[in-house]
């Protein structure tokens, strides 16, 4: 038993070892910025270009994403039913703007929109509407701006499943889904924990060609404490899903910039040889495999070729300071004595009688570099 104890809000450590070699490669998860949390629908070309320039000024090597509201809202092309780029807010050619756009598909025209996006190398994101939140009726609103128009009812002619005349859309599954998405973008810690909990049960399915989508980053948003911002970014980075920053870059503090620029986390996230994330190996607060939106799994680990070691993440997800203990024998990548990464240090190396130890580095500071074996404590 070689425990490592820490009393701070969150403990993040890298334990150096030789990782399992994997030659299979593939697309790396996206690093980027999304316009939605910062501007919602109040966007135009100057704001997007300003954000792109800010990412360069801040030294962020990320792509920019125009998330929704870039198309004409009142109608589609009457012949092709395709979305139309808003000529007032985006008068310039698409080639000078970010090449990643996200938009909700038009109800009833999802396939046409998906084809349109694919042809332009763009991204279609319907945000994974669950069946329970799908309406039995086709949504369509009158279009007074374009009356009289070639469409009998706004932009949805020949409805196959029209809603009854007295149907209450404010209590419909569509409205419920809309309110759910607003909550998802609230920047509240409770929802961040909920997303972590859901994703923790699917981490073994993640690889170069299968990525999770735990929504946009909330670093710099809401009322998150600095510790919660750090925990949020670290948990998202080890999942190896897209890291889409969703805040006003012009207001990003130095503390928040330091968080999203943490070299160890970005190196783990952008590993070109190992596609798998850090998987939960112990729940901590609960028994293993307990589904609880408020208390996700607390202990995760994964190998890294870029760090030449193993990432071990142990966040304290409770609302007050708690003790956390990492036992080397419980970490899957380290548990087998004599296996890869385990090292016997003699007395000259360590001076403790040759007991097993690991080289530990604090990923936030880069400090530590300590050969840790049995009995090392820190608070």
């Amino acid at each position: 038993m070689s425990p490592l104890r820490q009393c701070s809000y969150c403990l993040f450590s890298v334990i150096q070892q030789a990782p399992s070699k994997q030659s299979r490669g593939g697309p790396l998860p996206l690093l980027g910025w999304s316009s939605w949390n910062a501007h919602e629908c109040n966007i135009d070309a100057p704001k997007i270009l300003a954000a792109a320039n800010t990412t360069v000024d801040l030294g962020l090597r990320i792509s920019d994403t125009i998330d929704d509201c870039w198309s004409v809202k009142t109608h589609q092309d009457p012949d092709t039913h395709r979305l139309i780029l808003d000529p007032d807010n985006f008068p310039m050619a698409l080639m000078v703007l970010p090449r990643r756009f996200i938009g909700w598909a038009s109800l009833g025209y999802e396939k046409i929109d998906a084809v349109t996006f694919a042809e332009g190398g763009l991204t279609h994101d319907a945000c994974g509407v669950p069946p329970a939140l799908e309406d039995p009726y086709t949504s369509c609103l009158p279009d007074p701006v374009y009356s009289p128009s070639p469409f009998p009812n706004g932009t949805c002619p020949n409805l196959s499943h029209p809603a009854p005349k007295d149907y209450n859309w404010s209590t419909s599954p569509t409205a419920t889904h809309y309110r759910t998405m607003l909550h998802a973008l609230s920047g509240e810690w409770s929802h961040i924990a909920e997303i972590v909990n859901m994703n923790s049960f699917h981490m073994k399915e993640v690889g170069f060609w299968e990525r999770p989508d735990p929504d946009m980053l909330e670093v710099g948003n809401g009322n998150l404490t600095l510790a919660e911002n750090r925990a949020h970014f670290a948990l998202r980075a080890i999942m190896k899903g897209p890291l889409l920053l969703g805040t006003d870059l012009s207001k990003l503090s130095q503390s928040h910039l330091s968080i999203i620029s943490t070299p160890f986390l970005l190196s783990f996230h952008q590993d070109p040889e190992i596609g798998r994330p850090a998987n939960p190996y112990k729940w901590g607060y609960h028994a293993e495999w307990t589904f609880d939106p408020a208390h996700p799994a607390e202990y995760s680990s994964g190998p890294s070729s870029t760090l030449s070691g193993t990432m071990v993440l142990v966040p304290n997800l409770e609302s007050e300071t708690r003790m956390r203990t990492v036992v080397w024998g419980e970490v899957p990548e380290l548990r087998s004595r004599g296996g890869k990464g385990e090292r016997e240090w003699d007395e000259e190396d360590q001076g403790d009688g040759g007991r097993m130890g690991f080289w530990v580095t604090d990923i936030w500071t880069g400090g530590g570099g300590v050969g840790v074996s049995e009995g090392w404590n820190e608070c």
Side-chain angles (χ1 to χ4, degrees):
M1 299 281 286
S2 300
L4 166 63
R5 298 185 177 89
Q6 180 86 0
C7 301
S8 60
Y9 184 85
C10 281
L11 163 66
F12 306 102
S13 298
V14 176
I15 303 173
Q16 300 296 332
Q17 73 164 81
S20 301
K21 290 187 177 180
Q22 297 184 23
S23 59
R24 184 174 72 92
L28 297 178
L30 179 70
L31 293 174
W33 172 82
S34 170
S35 63
W36 182 259
N37 279 17
H39 302 295
E40 296 188 359
C41 277
N42 185 27
I43 59 170
D44 52 31
K47 288 182 180 178
I48 299 302
L49 291 175
N53 290 331
T54 302
T55 61
V56 175
D57 294 341
L58 294 176
L60 300 176
R61 307 180 83 176
I62 60 178
S63 62
D64 294 320
T65 299
I66 304 176
D67 191 343
D68 216 346
C69 303
W70 49 266
S71 61
V72 174
K73 302 180 182 66
T74 54
H75 64 287
Q76 297 149 304
D77 185 288
D79 297 319
T80 65
H81 302 300
R82 294 193 175 208
L83 296 172
I84 305 169
L85 185 70
D86 189 331
D88 295 324
N89 290 330
F90 297 98
M92 58 189 66
L94 283 178
M95 292 304 294
V96 302
L97 291 171
R99 292 296 293 163
R100 178 177 165 86
F101 289 62
I102 293 180
W104 288 69
S106 308
L107 288 173
Y109 298 99
E110 292 87 351
K111 290 184 179 179
I112 293 176
D113 290 344
V115 171
T116 301
F117 297 159
E119 289 176 353
L122 310 179
T123 298
H124 164 221
D125 184 2
C127 294
V129 182
L133 294 181
E134 291 182 351
D135 262 296
Y137 308 114
T138 304
S139 172
C140 189
L141 299 175
D143 188 357
V145 177
Y146 280 81
S147 296
S149 77
F151 306 129
N153 186 19
T155 59
C156 305
N158 304 318
L159 297 181
S160 57
H161 299 286
K165 185 177 180 180
D166 58 349
Y167 187 64
N168 187 355
W169 284 100
S170 68
T171 58
S172 67
T174 295
T176 301
H177 183 223
Y178 173 75
R179 287 189 287 268
T180 300
M181 292 306 299
L182 285 182
H183 172 60
L185 301 174
S186 63
E188 297 175 1
W189 177 256
S190 61
H191 189 68
I192 290 172
E194 181 181 355
I195 291 177
V196 172
N197 176 69
M198 288 189 294
N199 279 268
S200 65
F201 290 86
H202 299 282
M203 286 296 95
K204 291 188 177 181
E205 303 166 16
V206 176
F208 282 114
W209 301 97
E210 309 84 18
R211 298 291 182 190
D213 184 11
D215 222 317
M216 285 178 282
L217 284 169
E218 298 291 354
V219 175
N221 295 334
N223 296 316
L224 297 177
T225 65
L226 187 60
E228 288 171 340
N229 274 286
R230 292 172 68 185
H232 170 48
F233 184 74
L235 287 163
R236 288 290 304 278
I238 68 165
M239 291 181 188
K240 292 193 176 180
L243 290 179
L244 275 179
L245 189 64
T247 192
D248 187 340
L249 295 177
S250 66
K251 300 177 181 178
L252 193 66
S253 71
Q254 185 59 47
S255 296
H256 292 145
L257 179 61
S258 297
I259 291 173
I260 64 174
S261 304
T262 305
F264 287 99
L265 288 173
L266 293 176
S267 293
F268 182 84
H269 183 263
Q270 296 288 295
D271 194 322
E273 295 185 22
I274 300 177
R276 57 152 285 193
N279 297 328
Y281 69 87
K282 180 179 177 181
W283 256 243
Y285 188 89
H286 287 297
E288 267 68 316
W289 301 105
T290 299
F291 189 94
D292 182 354
H295 298 96
E298 295 182 331
Y299 296 75
S300 300
S301 66
S304 172
S305 70
T306 49
L307 299 175
S308 299
T310 295
M311 175 70 74
V312 179
L313 177 67
V314 189
N316 171 19
L317 300 179
E318 298 182 55
S319 59
E320 57 188 46
T321 300
R322 294 289 187 184
M323 179 79 75
R324 291 293 180 264
T325 301
V326 176
V327 179
W328 298 153
E330 294 177 347
V331 179
E333 293 79 11
L334 309 177
R335 67 162 58 118
S336 177
R337 186 174 181 84
K340 289 184 178 181
E342 194 164 281
R343 176 182 174 188
E344 288 290 340
W345 290 352
D346 58 27
E347 293 186 16
E348 183 177 349
D349 287 330
Q350 188 172 341
D352 68 351
R355 288 175 291 181
M356 182 184 71
F358 296 97
W359 199 258
V360 178
T361 302
D362 183 336
I363 66 169
W364 294 114
T365 66
V370 179
V372 180
S373 110
E374 194 171 358
W376 184 64
N377 300 279
E378 181 178 332
C379 284

